[in-house]
Every structure is written in C-alpha cells, then in structure tokens.
C-alpha cells in the first residue's frame, strides 16, 4: 500500500520560459498516490508543458520539483534522477509513437526487456495480459499500420503500463483520434482510474474529466487559476477566467 500522505509529485514555485515567453509561472502543485488529476485550459495555457516537466521532457528555469522521491533540477542537471523518474513514470502522448516495424506485442515488450531486464517469456506473458486489459488482446500479432487510431493509442497505453509505472501522464491522448474512437481510449483510462493508478491527464474531454477526476485544475496563461473537485469547479467556478473558459467549451 502506498503512503498516501507523501506526494508522489511536489512542484514548488516552478517557472518555465520559452525565450521571452513565461509559460509556467510559480506553479505549486502536490499530487498524492492514487489521485486522478485532470488539467484543463485553453490551447497555449501551459498544460502540456506542465506535465512534460514532471518526467523531464521539458527543462525548467527555477523552482523545485520532486517526483517519486527523486529531485529534478533546473537546466537538466538531474541525469540520474531523470533516468529513475522515466522508469517510474509512464506517459501517453497525442501521437502514438509506436515502432511501425514491430508487432503490437513487440512494441509492448521491448522496454521491459531492455530497461527492466525482464526475460522474453515474462515480458510476453505480461504484455499479453496488458493488451487484454486495454481490450486488444486479439491484435497482438498485427503491426501498428493495421490498427485504427483508437487501437494504436491503447497499444501505447499498454506499452506505458508494461514498465509498471507508479504514475501515468496523459497529454491530450484523444486529440488525434476520430470522434468514434475517443470512447474506447477513455474507457481504458477509466479502468485504470478505478484500479487506483495515479494519473495526471491533460484533456479537452470535459465529461470524462467530471467523471474520473478527484481534482480538476484550470490553467490560464501559465498559472493555476482555480482547482477543486470536479463538481465544484464545473458547477460553481469561482474565477472569471474559469467561468469564461467553461462557458465556451461546455456550450457545444
């Protein structure tokens, strides 16, 4: 059982710039094990940058960031911590990033064998179990080009889970999918949430956010403008920027 009193992510006064653009401004954020946090906001508000800082895909200029007891330092000074964090933190991107020359099962088993030293038999056994868990066990021998977008994204999810992460990050995982395929990916994520996986999700799917989140965070121009339980943030937003954003996105 994880110690839920200790945050798995602690971000303090984190600042990130792209040149003269201040993308993240003094972000303070704690995430505890088992929590599902959904981050919403307009395009360009800093949502994706925030979660990419958590696993070191983006460097930050100042502040403190501790992920699973490992401290990430500004300006990429955290080589050892970075390696550890990337084995403990899984990530699913907008694009699927699958290896086109490998079968679905080989895509899922590669990292556990190379990085965690799993035997091929153990990796295959685990990989098949994970593909079944995300509802595509029957696609194991196919190549990514033979799958729908929704199926490819579920392979990407199984691949991330194969590393047995303590934390899963999702960067708009359905934004590249056709509308009819979005549901199957969200269903797989719902199951993960029910199983108690710690998740940080950037998404535009407001119904999904309301359903699965323990906490919703609204980011505006690189700052956390408002956060709270989904029913409170969606039904009675306090910040005028949150009200304006939700009025736009919920009217469709």
């Amino acid at each position: 059982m994880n110690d839920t009193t200790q945050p798995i992510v602690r971000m303090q006064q984190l600042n990130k710039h792209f040149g003269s653009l201040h993308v993240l401004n003094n972000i303070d954020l704690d995430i505890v094990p088992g929590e599902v946090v959904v981050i919403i906001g307009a395009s360009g508000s800093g949502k994706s940058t925030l979660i990419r800082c958590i696993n070191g895909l983006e460097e930050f200029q100042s502040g403190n960031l501790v992920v699973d007891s490992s401290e990430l330092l500004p300006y990429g000074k955290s080589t050892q911590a970075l390696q550890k964090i990337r084995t403990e933190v899984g990530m699913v991107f907008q694009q699927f990033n699958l290896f086109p020359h490998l079968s679905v099962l080989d895509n899922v088993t590669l990292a556990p064998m190379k990085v965690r030293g799993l035997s091929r038999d153990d990796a295959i056994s685990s990989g098949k179990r994970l593909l079944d868990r995300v509802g595509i066990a029957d696609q194991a021998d196919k190549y990514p080009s033979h799958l729908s977008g929704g199926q490819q994204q579920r392979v990407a999810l199984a691949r991330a889970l194969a590393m047995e992460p303590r934390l899963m990050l999702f960067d708009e995982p359905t934004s590249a999918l056709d509308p009819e395929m979005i549901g199957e990916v969200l269903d797989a994520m719902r199951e993960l949430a029910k199983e108690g996986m710690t998740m940080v999700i950037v998404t535009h799917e407001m119904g999904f956010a309301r359903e699965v989140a323990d906490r919703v965070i609204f980011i505006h121009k690189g700052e956390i403008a408002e956060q709270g339980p989904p029913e409170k943030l969606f039904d009675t937003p306090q910040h005028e920027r949150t009200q304006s954003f939700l009025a736009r996105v919920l009217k469709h």
Side-chain angles (χ1 to χ4, degrees), residues 89-114:
V89 178
M91 186 157 184
V92 176
F93 300 87
Q94 297 177 38
Q95 303 301 328
F96 321 125
N97 300 324
L98 301 175
F99 294 112
H101 63 290
L102 296 180
S103 71
V104 163
L105 184 58
D106 286 341
N107 264 281
V108 174
T109 58
L110 184 64
M113 290 192 294
K114 295 279 188 189

Side-chain angles (χ1 to χ4, degrees), residues 184-218:
E184 61 194 53
V185 174
L186 295 181
D187 284 345
M189 292 169 66
R190 280 187 188 94
E191 288 305 310
L192 267 189
K194 286 178 190 169
E195 291 165 14
M197 173 65 76
T198 312
M199 301 162 73
V200 185
I201 306 165
V202 171
T203 186
H204 292 290
E205 301 292 333
M206 297 299 146
F208 173 75
R210 181 189 283 270
E211 180 187 345
V212 304
D214 297 305
R215 179 167 37 133
V216 177
I217 294 173
F218 171 65

Side-chain angles (χ1 to χ4, degrees), residues 6-250:
Q6 281 293 102
I8 193 168
V9 175
R10 169 154 282 175
M11 197 176 278
Q12 295 173 305
Q13 296 292 289
L14 191 112
N15 285 277
K16 165 71 181 174
H17 300 262
F18 287 124
S20 61
L21 189 63
H22 201 168
V23 187
L24 296 176
N25 187 4
N26 290 328
I27 297 287
D28 289 321
L29 176 63
D30 281 3
I31 297 164
V32 297
E35 189 176 21
V36 177
V37 175
V38 173
I39 301 174
I40 63 172
S43 295
S45 59
K47 309 182 301 295
S48 293
T49 302
L50 190 154
I51 68 164
R52 288 169 68 89
C53 284
I54 293 174
N55 67 350
L57 285 175
E58 294 286 358
E59 296 178 2
F60 55 95
Q61 275 74 25
S62 65
N64 298 302
L65 176 56
V66 178
V67 181
D68 200 17
S69 304
S70 295
E71 184 175 9
L72 276 170
L73 302 173
Y75 297 107
K77 299 172 183 170
S78 333
T79 312
Q80 287 182 319
L82 198 53
Q83 291 170 347
K84 179 176 183 292
I85 285 167
R86 287 195 179 152
T87 62
E88 302 294 340
V89 178
M91 186 157 184
V92 176
F93 300 87
Q94 297 177 38
Q95 303 301 328
F96 321 125
N97 300 324
L98 301 175
F99 294 112
H101 63 290
L102 296 180
S103 71
V104 163
L105 184 58
D106 286 341
N107 264 281
V108 174
T109 58
L110 184 64
M113 290 192 294
K114 295 279 188 189
V115 180
R116 289 205 180 272
L118 227 59
S119 72
R120 180 160 179 78
D121 285 349
D122 286 347
I124 288 173
S125 174
S126 171
K128 287 180 175 177
R129 189 168 64 251
L130 287 168
L131 290 172
D132 183 53
R133 186 171 165 189
V134 298
I136 48 172
D138 56 339
Q139 308 295 322
D141 296 327
K142 291 186 179 177
Y143 287 85
S145 61
H146 298 153
L147 304 183
S148 70
Q151 289 171 326
Q152 289 188 59
Q153 192 61 297
R154 284 186 282 162
V155 176
L157 176 53
R159 181 178 61 180
L161 292 173
M163 291 294 287
E164 300 184 354
R166 294 199 59 217
L167 168 67
M168 281 292 297
L169 308 176
F170 295 86
D171 186 5
E172 300 190 29
T174 60
S175 66
L177 299 178
D178 292 333
E180 66 269 19
M181 295 173 186
I182 290 172
E184 61 194 53
V185 174
L186 295 181
D187 284 345
M189 292 169 66
R190 280 187 188 94
E191 288 305 310
L192 267 189
K194 286 178 190 169
E195 291 165 14
M197 173 65 76
T198 312
M199 301 162 73
V200 185
I201 306 165
V202 171
T203 186
H204 292 290
E205 301 292 333
M206 297 299 146
F208 173 75
R210 181 189 283 270
E211 180 187 345
V212 304
D214 297 305
R215 179 167 37 133
V216 177
I217 294 173
F218 171 65
I219 291 191
H220 177 70
K221 293 186 175 177
E223 298 182 351
I224 295 178
E226 186 168 353
Q227 59 181 309
E231 60 277 6
K232 184 171 186 292
L233 189 131
F234 284 118
D235 295 339
T236 55
Q238 302 301 301
H239 196 292
E240 63 177 305
R241 295 292 185 186
T242 320
Q243 294 166 5
S244 168
F245 172 77
L246 290 175
R248 283 200 314 277
V249 299
L250 295 177

